[in-house]
């Protein structure tokens, strides 16, 4: 026996065996057991295919399938991965013999000493491999035909089921870890004791059969294993959750084969199960998709109105996913009723989860709250995440993008084959020049040229069509709602112009009654203004009218109040103080929401091209920042005004300064002849601003 043991491992560390009192009920000192178990451990890095062996063992020990077949033993000895370890089959058989022998001398002392001896034989393996090898040897013992009925004893079935669960738990915990997961020291420290009780349990189960021990003795072992499993299981769930989260991140950011694959990670849904209304998983693979994610049911009527417009006109399906603010909170009856009311207001082309609470996976909730909301959500507002045809995120929030530009403009195809179909005319001309003196000897030369040019033309047309088809296929497999498209659209906006600020129909606004956009085609002077002081508004509009008549401008002056103050709008409309003012609150919300989206999107664009920083002097960004400050949530400015000549912005400033420039017309009117009215107005405004700033510095 000693010689056989020496053959099993060249690194056996002989240790004295602790002798225990004979009664099984004697409580063992766990610290002494752990010390003795650790003394048997001398891991040298050797490995084998643990998962494969464990799956065979599980088949043999499966209660559901009955009892294992002897073929299972042969598989254990014939596994290709095990052949590379010359002594491993001997280990398994020797361990099986050791465990079976212990059953003939069943006692607490013998079970303990045999367990320590078995662990010493396995000193060169890591803890999880020790567990698998002990179970492998045990399965060989049970696979012998005359012992098959042993598994029918409930106490042993319960004990081995617990041992198998604990072994699988430990093996899974020790597998390749997610990047954000680290096994706690408490679990690592518990592995030696877990190995001991697994060995003790399989030896005790064999002993219970050979010696017909009472069932409660095996039950005590089951209790010990269950206690350890109770400690390990939560950690395994934590690791699985981390793995699911990492898998979802990889799929959404880097690699996935289809949207259905991503949806399986995002939602608790199976193939064939309806995900959104009448659509299952695979129904979304060929559909362009964006995800509308809200905090709970927090979405305004104005936002719904705007998104209805977008959903009807965009070649994209909008999936609404309300996200609970508290992961543990369940929806109340009131929440369900509100959800039902909101769904009735949604157009039929919107989609939402059939069973919201059941279907959203925890890892998707975590992804939204860790990866999306902190960086791309402002003030609890909804975000719209754009996915490509593989289900990868190509834009984390297109809400700002679709507020700025019309969906038809965003989706407009700018790719195509251009300038190649006039090549044949040039070829024909060159051929005729090159053969001008040949027609006398080759009378049919012109016909030959025509045939050749015709062949070339046909090939060019076919080639062009092939390219166009490839482009069309590319468009169908992609989405224009992506970061690259947003960057491209900003590159088409060279400066801060009035048509960018106000918007033009078909390009970046959706409003058919938006009168301001029709003023851009003229060279009229346009004043956009706002504020909260009705006296300033009356004075400003009166002065502008007097000013225009005084200098007898050939071109008209247009006035448009675009401020948020509802009372001011009502007074302006009643007293006819402006050519235009918003006649409903939605238009006011739309105008200022668009400017805010433009500001945030511009920051994203400048950051993407590495032009955003503390000293960023971007003209568009600074202009938007000034406008938004005038009508800020906590701002009660008396008035402000923006002057433009057609689309070109001349100046934008505080109402008092603009009025001062108008009132001091006699001072700067001489400059109109040389500079023009707009430049003269702008220069005096700049001078006035500089004078105020200088006075302030002198006084301080």
């Amino acid at each position: 026996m000693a010689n056989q043991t020496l053959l099993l491992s060249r690194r056996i560390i002989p240790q004295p065996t602790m002798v225990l009192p004979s009664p099984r009920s004697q409580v063992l000192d766990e610290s002494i057991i752990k010390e003795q178990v650790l003394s048997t451990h001398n891991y040298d890095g050797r490995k084998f295919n643990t998962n494969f062996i464990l799956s065979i063992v599980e088949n043999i020990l499966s209660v559901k399938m009955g009892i294992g077949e002897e073929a299972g033993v042969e598989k254990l000895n014939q596994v290709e991965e095990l052949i590379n370890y010359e002594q491993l089959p001997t280990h398994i058989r020797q361990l099986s013999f050791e465990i079976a022998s212990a059953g003939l001398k069943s006692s607490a002392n013998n079970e303990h000493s045999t367990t320590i001896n078995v662990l010493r034989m396995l000193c060169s393996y890591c803890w999880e491999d020790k567990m698998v090898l002990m179970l492998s040897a045990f399965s060989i013992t049970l696979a012998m035909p005359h012992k098959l009925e042993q598994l029918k004893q409930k106490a042993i079935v319960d004990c081995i089921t617990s041992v198998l669960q604990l072994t699988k738990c430990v093996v899974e915990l020790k597998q390749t870890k997610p990047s954000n997961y680290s096994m706690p020291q408490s679990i690592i420290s518990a592995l030696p004791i877990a190995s001991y009780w697994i060995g003790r349990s399989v030896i005790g189960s064999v002993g219970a059969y050979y010696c017909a021990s009472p069932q409660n003795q095996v039950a005590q072992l089951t209790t010990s294993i269950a206690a350890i499993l109770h400690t390990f299981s939560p950690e395994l769930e934590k690791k699985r959750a981390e793995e699911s989260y990492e898998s979802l991140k990889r799929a959404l950011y880097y690699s996935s084969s289809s949207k259905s694959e991503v949806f399986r990670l995002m939602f608790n849904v199976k193939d064939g199960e309806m995900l959104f209304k009448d659509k299952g998983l695979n129904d979304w693979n060929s559909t362009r998709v964006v995800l509308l994610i809200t905090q709970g049911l927090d979405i305004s009527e104005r936002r719904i109105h705007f998104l209805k417009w977008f959903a009807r006109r965009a070649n994209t399906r909008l999936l609404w996913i309300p996200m609970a603010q508290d992961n543990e909170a369940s929806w109340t009856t009131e929440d369900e009723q509100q959800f039902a009311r909101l769904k009735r207001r949604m157009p039929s082309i919107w989609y939402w989860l059939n069973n919201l609470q059941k279907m959203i996976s925890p890892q998707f909730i975590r992804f939204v709250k860790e990866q999306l909301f902190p960086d791309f959500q402002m003030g609890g507002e909804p975000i719209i995440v754009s996915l490509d045809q593989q289900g990868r995120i190509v834009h984390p929030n297109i809400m700002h993008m679709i507020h700025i530009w019309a969906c038809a403009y965003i989706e407009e195809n700018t790719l195509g084959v251009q300038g190649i179909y006039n090549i044949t005319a040039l070829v024909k001309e060159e051929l005729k020049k090159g053969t001008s003196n040949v027609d006398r000897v080759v009378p049919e030369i012109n016909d030959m040229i025509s045939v050749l040019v015709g062949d070339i033309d046909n090939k060019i047309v076919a080639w062009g069509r092939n390219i166009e088809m490839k482009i069309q296929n590319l468009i169908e497999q992609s989405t224009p709602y992506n970061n690259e498209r947003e960057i491209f659209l900003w590159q088409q906006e060279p400066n801060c112009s009035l048509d960018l600020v106000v918007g033009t129909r078909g390009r970046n606004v959706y409003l058919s009654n938006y009168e301001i956009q029709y003023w851009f085609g003229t060279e009229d002077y346009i004043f956009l203004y706002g504020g909260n002081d009705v006296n300033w508004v009356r004075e400003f509009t009166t002065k502008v009218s007097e000013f225009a008549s005084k200098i007898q401008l050939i071109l008209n002056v247009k006035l448009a109040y675009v401020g948020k103050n509802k009372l001011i709008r009502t007074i302006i409309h009643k007293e006819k103080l402006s050519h235009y003012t918003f006649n409903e609150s939605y238009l006011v919300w739309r105008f200022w929401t668009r400017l805010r989206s433009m500001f945030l999107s511009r920051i994203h664009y400048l950051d993407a091209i590495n032009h955003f920083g503390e000293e960023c002097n971007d003209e568009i960004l600074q202009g938007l920042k000034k406008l938004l400050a005038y009508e800020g949530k906590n701002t009660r400015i008396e008035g402000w005004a923006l002057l433009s000549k057609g689309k070109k912005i001349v100046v934008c400033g505080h109402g008092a300064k603009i009025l001062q420039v108008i009132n001091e017309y006699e001072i700067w009117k001489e400059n109109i002849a040389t500079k023009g009215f707009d430049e003269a107005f702008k220069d005096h405004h700049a001078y006035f601003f500089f004078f105020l700033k200088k006075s302030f510095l002198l006084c301080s």
Side-chain angles (χ1 to χ4, degrees), residues 56-119:
I56 297 176
V57 171
E58 186 175 9
N59 287 336
I60 296 173
L61 299 177
S62 174
V63 177
K64 183 178 179 180
M65 295 178 63
I67 30 191
E69 300 175 358
E70 194 155 359
V73 183
E74 295 174 4
K75 288 180 181 178
L76 285 173
N77 294 324
Q78 294 173 358
V79 176
E80 183 177 350
E81 288 79 5
L82 299 184
I83 293 176
N84 296 326
Y85 297 95
E86 185 179 7
Q87 297 172 0
L88 190 55
T90 310
H91 273 78
I92 295 174
R93 293 187 180 278
Q94 184 60 42
L95 288 172
S96 177
F97 174 77
E98 189 80 13
I99 290 170
S101 299
L104 299 175
K105 303 175 288 182
S106 181
S107 68
N109 280 333
N110 188 59
E111 288 175 10
H112 171 78
S113 60
T114 304
T115 302
I116 296 299
N117 189 45
V118 166
L119 290 172

Side-chain angles (χ1 to χ4, degrees), residues 342-517:
L342 286 171
K343 285 194 296 186
R344 286 193 293 270
R345 292 186 53 77
M346 307 301 179
S348 59
I349 51 179
W350 279 33
Y351 294 86
W352 48 82
L353 290 167
N354 285 331
N355 190 330
L356 194 63
Q357 291 288 290
K358 174 186 173 185
M359 285 187 169
I360 299 181
S361 67
Q363 60 264 26
F364 182 59
I365 295 174
R366 179 184 170 190
F367 179 84
V368 170
K369 293 185 176 182
E370 290 185 7
Q371 300 288 319
L372 298 179
F373 278 174
D375 295 329
F376 305 106
Q377 185 194 47
M378 296 292 292
E381 294 179 352
I383 64 173
I384 301 180
V385 182
S386 180
L387 306 178
D388 67 9
Q389 293 301 84
Q390 283 71 48
R392 295 170 299 191
I393 293 177
V394 290
H395 200 302
N397 185 15
I398 66 166
M399 184 70 80
H400 305 311
M401 185 180 182
I402 65 176
H403 269 301
I404 301 168
W405 295 288
C407 52
Y409 182 65
I410 295 173
E411 295 179 9
E412 183 182 16
N413 176 27
T414 57
L415 299 174
V417 178
Q418 300 174 351
I420 66 169
Y421 299 110
N422 59 350
I423 294 177
T424 51
L426 298 175
V427 172
K428 187 174 184 178
E429 182 179 349
E430 290 300 316
L431 287 173
K432 284 190 173 183
K433 285 182 181 178
T435 59
S436 59
N437 59 349
V438 178
D439 55 347
R440 289 173 296 179
V441 293
V442 185
E444 67 276 17
I445 188 64
N446 287 334
D447 293 337
M448 294 173 65
I449 290 174
S450 297
V451 171
L452 176 59
V453 170
D455 289 343
I456 293 173
D457 187 59
N458 290 336
K459 289 183 178 181
I460 290 175
V461 169
W463 183 83
R465 286 174 180 170
N466 185 42
I467 297 298
E468 295 285 358
M469 286 178 61
K470 290 180 181 295
I471 292 172
Q472 187 60 36
N473 289 335
L474 177 64
I475 292 171
E476 291 174 358
Q477 293 299 316
S478 61
T479 173
Y481 298 96
N482 57 55
N483 283 309
E484 288 74 17
R485 182 63 175 172
E486 184 177 26
I487 291 172
F488 172 81
L489 293 176
W490 271 121
Q491 290 170 342
Q492 312 313 304
E493 309 290 351
N495 50 49
C496 190
S497 59
L498 193 64
D499 59 333
L500 175 64
V501 171
V502 174
T504 54
R505 188 182 180 189
R507 181 169 179 232
N508 42 23
V509 293
Y510 310 109
L511 309 173
S512 58
N513 60 341
Y514 210 10
E515 185 178 333
I516 303 174
Q517 63 186 316

Side-chain angles (χ1 to χ4, degrees), residues 541-552:
T541 53
T542 301
K543 290 286 185 180
V544 168
S545 298
E546 293 174 355
F547 175 66
S549 61
K550 182 189 299 184
I551 60 177
Q552 298 180 342

Side-chain angles (χ1 to χ4, degrees), residues 8-136:
L8 298 179
S9 175
R10 297 173 183 173
R11 304 183 67 181
I12 297 297
I13 303 175
Q15 294 289 338
T17 304
M18 182 175 65
V19 179
L20 299 171
S22 58
R24 288 179 182 268
S25 59
Q26 177 71 35
V27 178
L28 305 180
D29 188 331
E30 189 169 284
S31 63
I32 297 176
I33 295 175
K34 184 174 181 180
E35 181 180 350
Q36 195 167 20
V37 171
L38 286 172
S39 73
T40 69
H41 187 60
N42 193 16
Y43 179 47
D44 63 4
R46 67 180 67 187
K47 296 180 180 180
F48 60 90
N49 195 330
T50 307
N51 289 327
F52 184 73
I53 297 300
L54 185 57
S55 67
I56 297 176
V57 171
E58 186 175 9
N59 287 336
I60 296 173
L61 299 177
S62 174
V63 177
K64 183 178 179 180
M65 295 178 63
I67 30 191
E69 300 175 358
E70 194 155 359
V73 183
E74 295 174 4
K75 288 180 181 178
L76 285 173
N77 294 324
Q78 294 173 358
V79 176
E80 183 177 350
E81 288 79 5
L82 299 184
I83 293 176
N84 296 326
Y85 297 95
E86 185 179 7
Q87 297 172 0
L88 190 55
T90 310
H91 273 78
I92 295 174
R93 293 187 180 278
Q94 184 60 42
L95 288 172
S96 177
F97 174 77
E98 189 80 13
I99 290 170
S101 299
L104 299 175
K105 303 175 288 182
S106 181
S107 68
N109 280 333
N110 188 59
E111 288 175 10
H112 171 78
S113 60
T114 304
T115 302
I116 296 299
N117 189 45
V118 166
L119 290 172
R120 188 175 295 116
M121 294 166 65
L122 299 173
C123 67
S124 300
Y125 297 95
C126 58
W127 296 112
E128 65 269 26
D129 286 353
K130 295 180 199 287
M131 300 175 189
V132 172
L133 289 173
M134 287 188 287
L135 269 179
S136 301

Side-chain angles (χ1 to χ4, degrees), residues 68 105 151 171 260 370 475 573 695:
K105 303 175 288 182
L151 286 178
V171 169
S260 59
E370 290 185 7
I475 292 171
H573 182 73
S695 299

